[in-house]
Amino acid sequence: MSSKPLRLIGQDEGDVAPVSAALQDAIARIADLKFEARARRFTALFTRYRWEKPAGKGERIRSGLQIGSVTSVKAQRLRKGAPDAFVSLLSLTFEPAGGAEDPSGTLVFTFAGGGALKVEVECVDLVLADVSAPWKASARPDHESEGAP
């Protein structure tokens, strides 16, 4: 039995947490993280674990993320010269720029291993959509066992 593809729209700071939860433990190739300066758009193609599925029915699916109103993108500790290198997303957060009336800020992608991507935006304008059929996951992400000897 297949569930409907996930589609999330983010238009303010409060919408970022559900997108982050859906993308937790998603993986992407560096080459699939793209900033189009002229279009003021950042896009990313992830393979995400479908956390919304019942336990025991682990699946992965390809999902596209598009962020609009982007003014700049800065990478920290990411291997830009290795387009086939993979990153694993831990979280996506929003850091407001200034006053309560100012919708601008920075979307921060935090990756395993200490890498980060900071996407400066005029406002939160993002869409996450599943773009493939799901497939059975080989394992459920388990952060408890990652630090165990």
Side-chain angles (χ1 to χ4, degrees), residues 12-117:
D12 61 35
E13 182 176 356
D15 295 335
V16 176
V19 174
S20 179
L23 285 174
Q24 182 180 356
D25 300 307
I27 56 174
R29 287 182 332 129
I30 294 289
D32 291 332
L33 307 173
K34 298 181 180 178
F35 175 44
E36 301 167 72
R38 181 170 269 174
R40 296 171 22 111
R41 176 176 49 229
F42 176 82
T43 57
L45 185 60
F46 288 99
T47 299
R48 70 175 189 87
Y49 187 83
R50 295 184 76 194
W51 290 107
E52 67 273 19
K53 296 290 287 183
K57 300 195 185 274
E59 294 179 342
R60 285 207 173 257
I61 194 165
R62 299 285 277 171
S63 299
L65 176 68
Q66 179 177 292
I67 301 172
S69 304
V70 177
T71 57
S72 72
V73 175
K74 297 177 182 137
Q76 297 175 327
R77 296 186 58 191
L78 293 180
R79 296 173 43 192
K80 292 181 264 186
D84 289 328
F86 283 89
V87 290
S88 179
L89 185 66
L90 298 176
S91 67
L92 173 63
T93 56
F94 181 72
E95 298 174 352
E101 299 300 316
D102 184 2
S104 66
T106 305
L107 287 161
V108 180
F109 293 78
T110 303
F111 298 103
L117 198 62

